[in-house]
Amino acid sequence: MTVCEYKPGLEGIPAAESSISYVDGQQGILEYRGIRIEELAETSTFLETSYLLIWGTLPTTDELTKFEDEIRFHRRIKYRIRDMMKCFPETGHPMDALQASAAALGLFYSRRALDNPAYIREAVVRLLAKIPTMVAAFELMRKGNDPVRPRDDLGYAANFLYMLTEREPDPLAARIFDICLTLHAEHTMNASTFSARVTASTLTDPYAVVASAVGTLAGPLHGGANEEVITMLEEIGSVENVRPWLENCLERKSKIMGFGHRVYKVKDPRATILQNLAEQLFEKFGHDKYYDIALELERAVEEKLAHKGIYPNVDYYSGLVYRKMGIPTDLFTPVFAIARVAGWLAHWKEQLGENRIFRPTQIYTGSHNAPCIPIEER
Ligand SMILES: CC(C)(COP(=O)(O)OP(=O)(O)OC[C@H]1O[C@@H](n2cnc3c(N)ncnc32)[C@H](O)[C@@H]1OP(=O)(O)O)[C@@H](O)C(=O)NCCC(=O)NCCS
């Protein structure tokens, strides 16, 4: 057997062949099924984009209407899931609540009929439909309120904002939120997608696939970074403090949240779109002083770290957008998960198409024939 070079973090090692999305990290290009992200953000909706990612082509009007109707029909969650969620501690992180609830769906719907296209479609619809309801339900229940029922007259993004805030959603905020979902829907072989594919390769049910991916997304080096960006901007506190704060951070060799990417060595194209969306929100709903801090930090980091290819990533401006919409900081990553479910499901389906269980190797660095010393002699 050939001995391969070990690459920490599997950097540069392909884990699958995939036709779902493509990133050119040098030029800052992201495509879903060959279509540029800028075009999808401008002209498509999250559900249309999800269809594209999962089934490989843009839907016709009839196909899209049917898909949207199925999702609208499945938005509600069973009272037993709601009751289970009521028992979660309100101090628990919403990502943990989401992971547990996503896994619990498998108790109700798991049949593992993975060779049946109708089962695949049903699972796709259920997960896309119910994850936002579960995120909103946990938010209301941890505040001591009953969750609100999804509203059939509202689109996917507007309905989520309504379930979360219990207020009529503003049309601009709903459209911008829908674009945010599109931007976060898929991103090649990142950690949570890899996790989803590994889980999928065992032929377990799709709810377990999504639950494992949610757990992976929760970490601060992955989806959790958008939450940490806001904490960081609050800690910096003022535009004047940006440069001293950065100097201190670099001296301590700490990572600056929302910057850097394994693949992008230029500004993430999604960050550029999100920055523009943030500005549209500030224009309508008032300025956010943390945006000025963010702009100054971007300039300062560019001066110091551009030579290493460190630029804002998707998480840098998304938090400011969600904050302006009144979404609590610890829901930023669950919101990321609502979007990324589309990508995880696309990879689940692709993995099933050419499945071979993931079973990499390792380079053993331990000892051999070690003595098993009796406990009283240790
Ligand atoms: C995303 C991330 C995990 C990628 O990590 P990676 O591909 O393993 O890159 P590395 O951590 O090896 O970084 C390479 C170099 O850039 C530096 N670097 C990377 N991200 C940095 C950041 N956010 N702030 C400061 N320096 C950074 C590293 O210190 C390292 O420098 P060195 O070569 O002098 O040691 C990393 O950039 C990071 O932790 N960013 C902050 C968290 C974040 O925003 N995550 C969301 C990603 S979408």
Side-chain angles (χ1 to χ4, degrees):
M1 191 182 162
T2 339
V3 178
C4 306
E5 188 195 347
Y6 166 56
K7 294 272 196 162
L10 301 185
E11 182 173 1
I13 297 177
E17 288 185 328
S18 179
S19 61
I20 300 169
S21 64
Y22 169 80
V23 171
D24 179 332
Q26 298 299 332
Q27 295 191 65
I29 293 172
L30 168 61
E31 292 170 340
Y32 294 169
R33 299 285 186 186
I35 304 174
R36 291 282 282 260
I37 191 65
E38 290 83 355
E39 210 174 329
L40 290 167
E42 177 94 25
T43 61
S44 185
T45 62
F46 171 65
L47 285 187
E48 187 186 36
T49 299
S50 302
Y51 189 103
L52 168 74
L53 288 168
I54 296 164
W55 280 284
T57 52
L58 285 167
T60 61
T61 308
D62 286 352
E63 285 167 338
L64 181 59
T65 308
K66 186 166 177 279
F67 187 50
E68 286 171 343
D69 286 348
E70 284 172 78
I71 287 182
R72 198 172 291 117
F73 181 76
H74 284 282
R75 277 174 184 166
R76 284 185 298 271
I77 50 173
K78 290 191 184 291
Y79 80 87
R80 284 180 170 164
I81 299 250
R82 264 200 322 269
D83 285 358
M84 177 193 81
M85 293 178 76
K86 273 185 196 152
C87 299
F88 292 170
E90 62 273 17
T91 49
H93 196 284
M95 276 303 267
D96 295 329
L98 179 59
Q99 189 185 22
S101 324
L105 288 177
L107 290 163
F108 295 92
Y109 306 116
S110 167
R111 283 191 291 113
R112 297 189 196 162
L114 299 179
D115 49 358
N116 178 354
Y119 173 80
I120 303 274
R121 182 164 180 122
E122 221 169 61
V124 163
V125 165
R126 283 202 171 108
L127 279 157
L128 281 169
K130 292 181 197 302
I131 296 272
T133 312
M134 296 191 302
V135 171
F138 181 69
E139 169 61 12
L140 293 196
M141 288 192 288
R142 71 176 170 167
K143 290 197 292 201
N145 301 337
D146 275 333
V148 298
R149 283 168 76 91
R151 257 180 51 192
D152 286 354
D153 61 316
L154 294 175
Y156 192 84
N159 175 58
F160 173 71
L161 293 177
Y162 162 73
M163 290 189 298
L164 193 70
T165 59
E166 300 180 88
R167 281 196 298 272
E168 198 62 32
D170 174 85
L172 177 71
R175 174 62 192 141
I176 286 182
F177 187 69
D178 193 76
I179 298 173
C180 290
L181 295 179
T182 299
L183 297 178
H184 287 85
E186 158 65 7
H187 207 246
T188 72
M189 198 54 65
N190 53 84
S192 59
T193 299
F194 183 45
S195 184
R197 284 193 83 125
V198 171
T199 311
S201 80
T202 69
L203 301 186
T204 184
D205 69 74
Y207 308 100
V209 169
V210 167
S212 74
V214 169
T216 309
L217 185 70
L221 295 189
H222 192 4
N226 55 12
E227 198 178 317
E228 308 236 348
V229 168
I230 295 295
T231 313
M232 173 185 80
L233 295 176
E234 284 171 354
E235 187 189 308
I236 297 173
S238 68
V239 171
E240 296 68 45
N241 194 31
V242 164
R243 281 158 200 274
W245 180 91
L246 181 62
E247 287 299 333
N248 187 280
C249 186
L250 294 177
E251 252 168 49
R252 285 185 284 115
K253 299 207 180 306
S254 310
K255 291 262 174 73
I256 305 140
M257 288 293 132
F259 284 86
H261 199 277
R262 175 66 58 82
V263 185
Y264 291 116
K265 298 303 161 204
V266 293
K267 187 167 175 176
D268 186 326
R270 299 165 299 172
T272 308
I273 301 172
L274 281 160
Q275 185 173 1
N276 179 277
L277 298 178
E279 285 176 2
Q280 288 182 39
L281 281 174
F282 299 150
E283 206 167 294
K284 178 156 186 188
F285 300 108
H287 194 66
D288 183 339
K289 77 163 186 172
Y290 292 106
Y291 182 55
D292 298 330
I293 299 175
L295 287 177
E296 179 66 4
L297 184 61
E298 181 179 344
R299 275 191 290 270
V301 171
E302 190 171 345
E303 284 164 25
K304 297 273 179 197
L305 295 175
H307 67 283
K308 285 190 188 175
I310 309 293
Y311 288 92
N313 59 46
V314 67
D315 292 314
Y316 193 53
Y317 288 109
S318 63
L320 287 170
V321 170
Y322 297 148
R323 207 172 117 96
K324 200 74 209 166
M325 290 178 179
I327 299 175
T329 311
D330 64 357
L331 286 193
F332 294 175
T333 319
V335 162
F336 190 159
I338 291 175
R340 191 51 64 83
V341 166
W344 295 330
L345 290 170
H347 281 270
W348 167 59
K349 199 165 159 290
E350 188 174 67
Q351 181 66 36
L352 293 180
E354 295 266 338
N355 191 49
R356 186 154 190 229
I357 189 168
F358 276 91
R359 192 7 179 137
T361 186
Q362 61 170 17
I363 296 168
Y364 179 64
T365 58
S367 57
H368 292 285
N369 294 321
C372 181
I373 302 163
I375 195 161
E376 59 280 2
E377 290 173 29
R378 283 174 220 160

